[in-house]
Amino acid sequence: MRDLFVNTTQTESGDKPSDQKRPDDPNKDRSVQVRATCGRYFERRVKSELALEEELPWHFDTGMAYHCFSFGDVDSLTYLRAIIKQQPVEYVLISTWCMAATDVEEIKKWIRRGDLKHIDLYVGEIFQASYASIYLMLAELVKEFGGRVAIFRNHSKVMAGFGSRFDFVIESSANVNTNPRSEATVITVDTGLARWYKEEIFDKIQSFNHDFDGWKPYKLKRDETI
């Protein structure tokens, strides 16, 4: 039986047996190599953002409406990203039929970074069953700050938000998730319209699910009384 504790003969350096010859390394003249890669969703979003920036003004003007028609080259969430790049957003509601895990991760990144403070989501009646993992991701996220994921007979695609510089509404034919189809979208910079969607429409939605029974509509900082 081999003795596991036998002392082997070492070279003067103490790291190799004296009778072992080191082979020549045929790759000794090569150095480190690096290749950067990105997932197809990330690459698509980069292209989407660059395409939109070519057309939209960098600063939106109050009272203006920007009508956009895309040919599969702009994702829906890119419109909200364009606004978040211009200003911190205190609150946004998102109404969509479906969305992907990558969309949730990006929204979470905005919240963690402080670019977005509060969010409520409104989805279709198939969402909790057909997109169960996404629903759980969203539910876990919004519970951190008292938001909700409301389920009702919904096929609308709307985002309404309130920022430090301007308030806005994004109305679109597109869902939040990535798709290659042509879509029509209007960005309206108008406080009254944003409040109408929030206070008169979505704050009053009665949800099918009961995961957020204690939910209360978010109150904007500007509306708080001292």
Side-chain angles (χ1 to χ4, degrees):
M1 184 175 179
R2 183 166 62 94
D3 188 348
L4 299 178
F5 303 101
V6 67
N7 290 324
T8 58
T9 303
Q10 302 288 320
T11 61
E12 289 184 1
S13 61
D15 59 356
K16 295 291 181 184
S18 58
D19 59 348
Q20 183 175 347
K21 183 178 180 181
R22 190 177 210 178
D24 289 334
D25 183 1
N27 298 301
K28 63 183 179 181
D29 294 327
R30 299 189 67 174
S31 60
V32 64
Q33 293 176 284
V34 177
R35 178 177 177 178
T37 63
C38 62
R40 63 189 180 94
Y41 288 112
F42 179 78
E43 182 179 4
R44 180 182 173 83
R45 280 182 170 162
V46 170
K47 292 179 179 178
S48 176
E49 188 169 350
L50 292 175
L52 193 61
E53 285 183 354
E54 287 292 318
E55 298 297 327
L56 284 175
W58 176 242
H59 295 292
F60 291 169
D61 295 324
T62 301
M64 290 293 292
Y66 301 92
H67 298 257
C68 313
F69 194 94
S70 64
F71 292 87
D73 55 339
V74 177
D75 297 328
S76 181
L77 208 60
T78 302
Y79 294 102
L80 181 56
R81 190 186 307 119
I83 289 172
I84 286 178
K85 287 179 69 175
Q86 295 189 38
Q87 62 172 357
V89 174
E90 178 186 347
Y91 173 86
V92 70
L93 67 87
I94 296 179
S95 175
T96 184
W97 175 253
C98 56
M99 64 193 308
T102 52
D103 304 315
V104 182
E105 290 300 329
E106 178 154 22
I107 292 169
K108 184 186 297 185
K109 180 182 69 177
W110 294 339
I111 292 171
R112 297 286 182 265
R113 210 165 53 196
D115 298 329
L116 174 61
K117 298 295 185 182
H118 195 106
I119 186 170
D120 290 314
L121 294 111
Y122 298 86
V123 297
E125 64 272 23
I126 71 162
F127 195 92
Q128 192 169 11
S130 299
Y131 303 94
S133 61
I134 310 303
Y135 176 82
L136 292 174
M137 290 174 68
L138 290 171
E140 182 180 1
L141 177 63
V142 301
K143 282 181 177 178
E144 294 181 13
F145 43 79
R148 71 167 173 169
V149 183
I151 297 174
F152 67 111
R153 296 195 185 280
N154 180 37
H155 201 250
S156 65
K157 293 92 175 179
V158 178
M159 303 180 196
F162 302 83
S164 60
R165 289 185 49 245
F166 59 84
D167 306 325
F168 60 91
V169 172
I170 303 170
E171 300 162 295
S172 181
S173 62
N175 287 301
V176 168
N177 65 320
T178 301
N179 76 83
R181 301 175 183 88
S182 293
E183 304 284 2
T185 302
V186 180
I187 304 170
T188 306
V189 184
D190 184 273
T191 299
L193 185 60
R195 281 191 177 274
W196 180 77
Y197 268 116
K198 179 185 184 301
E199 297 168 3
E200 300 301 324
I201 305 299
F202 289 100
D203 280 355
K204 297 179 179 180
I205 290 295
Q206 301 296 312
S207 179
F208 292 171
N209 57 325
H210 298 286
D211 296 334
F212 303 92
D213 284 345
W215 175 87
K216 294 184 182 301
Y218 178 76
K219 189 173 185 178
L220 298 170
K221 299 297 183 185
R222 69 188 74 171
D223 296 335
E224 292 180 352
T225 56
I226 300 176

